[in-house]
Amino acid sequence: MSWVLLLLLAAWLVGRRWWQRRFGQPVSERGSAAHFLRWSARIAITYGLPAVVGATLLGIDLNQPEPKFLPLAQQLGYGETFPTGLLLIGIAGGTVIGAVIAWWRGPGRRWFGPPLGVPRTIGAVAVALLLAATAGVAEELFFRWLVPLLLVRVGLDVAVAFAASALMFGWLHRYQGTAGVVATTLGGAMFGWLYLVSGSLPLAMLVHVLVDVSALVVRPWAASLRT
């Protein structure tokens, strides 16, 4: 069953990639609501849909690590008091620092890959926030649960499965350039660690959403002030 699902998942990703190259028409106007909406739909279909199907078929408890992940989770400190408040304070501080750096560098400069553009209207901001939420939920369910679980079920070590998933997460962000691949690979490893030590996939989703809000809205907006 796991081998079948893993092969179907690989075929799905390859097919989606072919479809996007063959029929996907890029949105020329970056920063528009349509541009962010297109990305949100793409992520929901590519990652959210198979993740929901996988969760339905395999079952999932979002508030504790998958039982097969427990050996690695316990080695990393699962079961100890997790400083959620401190984590959120750190994210807030990082967002502020990122905004200051983006303002200092100014518009048109890359920070962790090419931006999707500065949301120029209230509608564009709303859709950019939707994109952040979609990516945070769909990608965490896909890369931090479904992919590692299938890899473990076909015989891989848990740590290897999470490492492979983080590398896959980074590679699929190669449109952001080398810096983007490195940053998202490290981010994928961090999200995986967070899920395992906290036991809560929703917490990893929340952190992912906040990071994407910073990348899609806060930093581009800060950079645009330097005109």
Side-chain angles (χ1 to χ4, degrees):
M1 177 66 171
S2 297
W3 272 111
V4 172
L5 291 177
L6 193 60
L7 292 174
L8 288 174
L9 192 62
W12 170 256
L13 292 177
V14 171
R16 283 291 300 165
R17 181 65 176 171
W18 174 83
W19 179 271
Q20 289 159 9
R21 286 186 172 183
R22 179 67 177 81
F23 299 105
Q25 297 299 320
V27 177
S28 59
E29 189 176 5
R30 292 191 173 192
S32 66
H35 189 58
F36 289 112
L37 186 60
R38 171 186 172 85
W39 274 89
S40 183
R42 174 179 176 179
I43 289 174
I45 294 172
T46 303
Y47 305 122
L49 179 59
V52 170
V53 172
T56 301
L57 293 175
L58 301 174
I60 180 174
D61 184 350
L62 297 178
N63 292 310
Q64 65 179 10
E66 163 67 32
K68 289 186 176 294
F69 300 161
L70 277 177
L72 177 61
Q74 290 169 345
Q75 290 178 20
L76 295 174
Y78 171 67
E80 302 175 4
T81 301
F82 187 80
T84 303
L86 185 62
L87 173 67
L88 296 178
I89 291 173
I91 293 172
T95 299
V96 172
I97 293 172
V100 171
I101 294 175
W103 172 84
W104 175 68
R105 289 174 63 85
R109 302 289 296 277
R110 292 187 176 187
W111 55 95
F112 293 146
L116 297 183
V118 181
R120 294 183 297 274
T121 65
I122 294 178
V125 170
V127 181
L129 294 175
L130 173 64
L131 170 57
T134 301
V137 173
E139 291 180 352
E140 287 309 296
L141 189 55
F142 186 90
F143 290 102
R144 251 58 71 185
W145 179 76
L146 180 60
V147 172
L149 178 59
L150 290 178
L151 292 176
V152 168
R153 287 193 173 189
V154 298
L156 265 68
D157 178 76
V158 180
V160 174
F162 272 89
S165 182
L167 290 171
M168 178 182 178
F169 182 64
W171 180 75
L172 289 171
H173 285 79
R174 63 193 181 281
Y175 63 88
Q176 294 184 6
T178 301
V181 170
V182 173
T184 51
T185 299
L186 294 176
M190 181 195 73
F191 295 142
W193 169 84
L194 178 59
Y195 166 45
L196 290 170
V197 299
S198 69
S200 174
L201 192 57
L203 179 59
M205 291 175 177
L206 174 61
V207 172
H208 193 150
V209 170
L210 294 176
V211 169
D212 282 0
V213 168
S214 176
L216 295 171
V217 178
V218 177
R219 293 205 305 264
W221 174 80
S224 70
L225 295 178
R226 190 79 179 269
T227 57

